[in-house]
Amino acid sequence: MDTLRRPASFLTQANALLRKNICLQARLQIAVSDYTFITAMQKRNWKTNIGITFFPVIICVLLIVLQNIINSELDKPKYRCGCACVETDINGTCKRRECGVQYSTLEQVWNCAIPSPPRWPALIQVPQPESRAVKTVSQPFDDLPEPSCRDSWSCPASVLITGKDRYFAESVAGGLFPAFSPSLNVTDYLDALSRIVVGSDTAPWYTQLLEPAFSSSDTIYLLQPQCVPYLSQTISYRARGIPLQLNIQCVEGVMLWRESTSVINEELLKGYKQKGGKINEFIAGYDFLSTTEFGLGINVLYNSTYNDKTAYSFIAALRVPRLVNAVSNAYLKYIRGPGVEMRLEYVKEMPKVGTSYRFDLSSLLSALFFTWIVELLFPVSMMRCNIP
Ligand SMILES: *[C@@H]1O[C@H](CO)[C@@H](O)[C@H](O)[C@H]1NC(C)=O
Ligand SMILES: *[C@@H]1O[C@H](CO)[C@@H](O)[C@H](O)[C@H]1NC(C)=O
Ligand SMILES: *[C@@H]1O[C@H](CO)[C@@H](O)[C@H](O)[C@H]1NC(C)=O
């Protein structure tokens, strides 16, 4: 017992150090003999030698060929910034070509140089006509519209509201969707659309360089307290050089009072497609909490399915800003009169330089490439050294 506890004597320490040194030398010798072994093998087997030399060359040539094929594929006009001829001479040959957002599709616009991105009115996400909330067996609230409206594609779009003070919440929510008045300046149509609440059922996109709702000539829904026939129309319009075809359709926006947030939550969830039941979608839910004329605090419940947060793709920009602006605007108008408003004029993307799709295989493969070429050809031998 006593001897074990004593610190190691000088002799023991020196002994251990010596063994370590011997072991190190042995290792070096093995490494050297390994090297001579390789050279011996190389002398013996010149065919293998040539193979070893040409393997990296072949791999490199293959990579270059593959990369060029992929790059020439990506360089096709389909993926390049869209262009058009803006000036032709008498013989019909093009004198001046112009490229830019206005000639591009959603795929092409990624590559354009855009020093001054176009601006778009902020939209809200409106459920498609066939999935808007109606009375169903699982949701027997009697203020929901009759299911027959789905056949005529005329279902109103509903917003659920709740709060501490029912009278106040309903009064404010009454102004959520301002009426479109013909006196609005319709020379700039996009500007007129940003003064009211307008929505779309297209999937939102990752950038706002082009707003899919406008560039796809899909329907644009004008949310109104009451629909009049002249509001639904098709307009061809150029917004700062970008030709647009606006298919405008009026949709009645209705507010439905619910007792509490949990009732709203449950109702939103029950109509969810993934739940397997009947699809019943709402625009959003507003919880006015304890909002009074002295203080505004609101929870907005919205559908975030479209943001695509799967870690495998870009995250889409959900159409939420207008939902927030609509309610703050309604509140301000309610407590201060119709002349007061806070406008969300437009949303737009940051400017960007022109880019092109490029594919760099070797940098993509970097570590793997090195492993293949260097390490598999010149194996690193692992040695163990046991100190007896
Ligand atoms: C048009 O074509 C004619 C004959 O092909 C040629 O002589 C003339 O220079 C052309 N005009 C222009 C503006 O290129
Ligand atoms: C309507 O909009 C156009 C273009 O933005 C502007 O030039 C014009 O002054 C506006 N008219 C009114 C009455 O606001
Ligand atoms: C949310 O949006 C997705 C995509 O449109 C839809 O499938 C789903 O039913 C919606 N959920 C609710 C609760 O509205």
Side-chain angles (χ1 to χ4, degrees), residues 33-143:
S33 66
D34 216 26
Y35 173 76
T36 45
F37 171 69
I38 286 176
T39 47
M41 213 178 73
Q42 277 167 350
K43 264 182 204 144
R44 269 208 312 268
N45 204 344
W46 60 273
K47 273 186 193 159
T48 319
N49 238 352
I50 292 177
I52 285 175
T53 320
F54 279 101
F55 181 66
V57 177
I58 291 169
I59 292 280
C60 286
V61 168
L62 273 181
L63 282 185
I64 290 169
V65 169
L66 198 64
Q67 184 166 327
N68 278 337
I69 292 173
I70 292 172
N71 273 340
S72 70
E73 207 51 40
L74 286 179
D75 205 31
K76 294 213 163 127
K78 194 176 146 197
Y79 299 108
R80 256 186 280 157
C81 185
C83 296
C85 193
V86 287
E87 219 184 304
T88 49
D89 61 14
I90 334 152
N91 295 356
T93 51
C94 190
K95 266 172 74 181
R96 199 159 63 84
R97 275 166 72 79
E98 227 174 50
C99 302
V101 185
Q102 62 270 39
Y103 310 112
S104 305
T105 62
L106 277 178
E107 281 91 49
Q108 292 176 321
V109 79
W110 287 96
N111 294 332
C112 294
I114 308 171
S116 146
R119 44 155 98 173
W120 305 104
L123 303 182
I124 63 170
Q125 193 74 42
V126 179
Q128 289 174 344
E130 65 275 16
S131 33
R132 287 185 201 142
V134 292
K135 234 179 262 179
T136 62
V137 189
S138 58
Q139 271 163 310
F141 289 100
D142 52 11
D143 50 4

Side-chain angles (χ1 to χ4, degrees), residues 228-246:
V228 277
Y230 76 85
L231 284 177
S232 299
Q233 51 185 313
T234 301
I235 298 163
S236 291
Y237 172 68
R238 285 186 86 83
R240 293 170 183 89
I242 303 175
L244 299 177
Q245 169 102 350
L246 305 180

Side-chain angles (χ1 to χ4, degrees), residues 183 185-188 191 195 240:
S183 64
N185 189 353
V186 195
T187 36
D188 186 347
D191 186 63
R195 287 167 188 272
R240 293 170 183 89

Side-chain angles (χ1 to χ4, degrees), residues 31 51 54 101 116 151 159 163 178 202 211 252 259-260 263 282 287 312:
F54 279 101
V101 185
S116 146
D151 303 329
V159 173
T202 54
E211 166 59 71
E252 201 185 317
E259 281 317 310
S260 68
V263 175
F282 297 84
D287 183 354
Y312 301 116

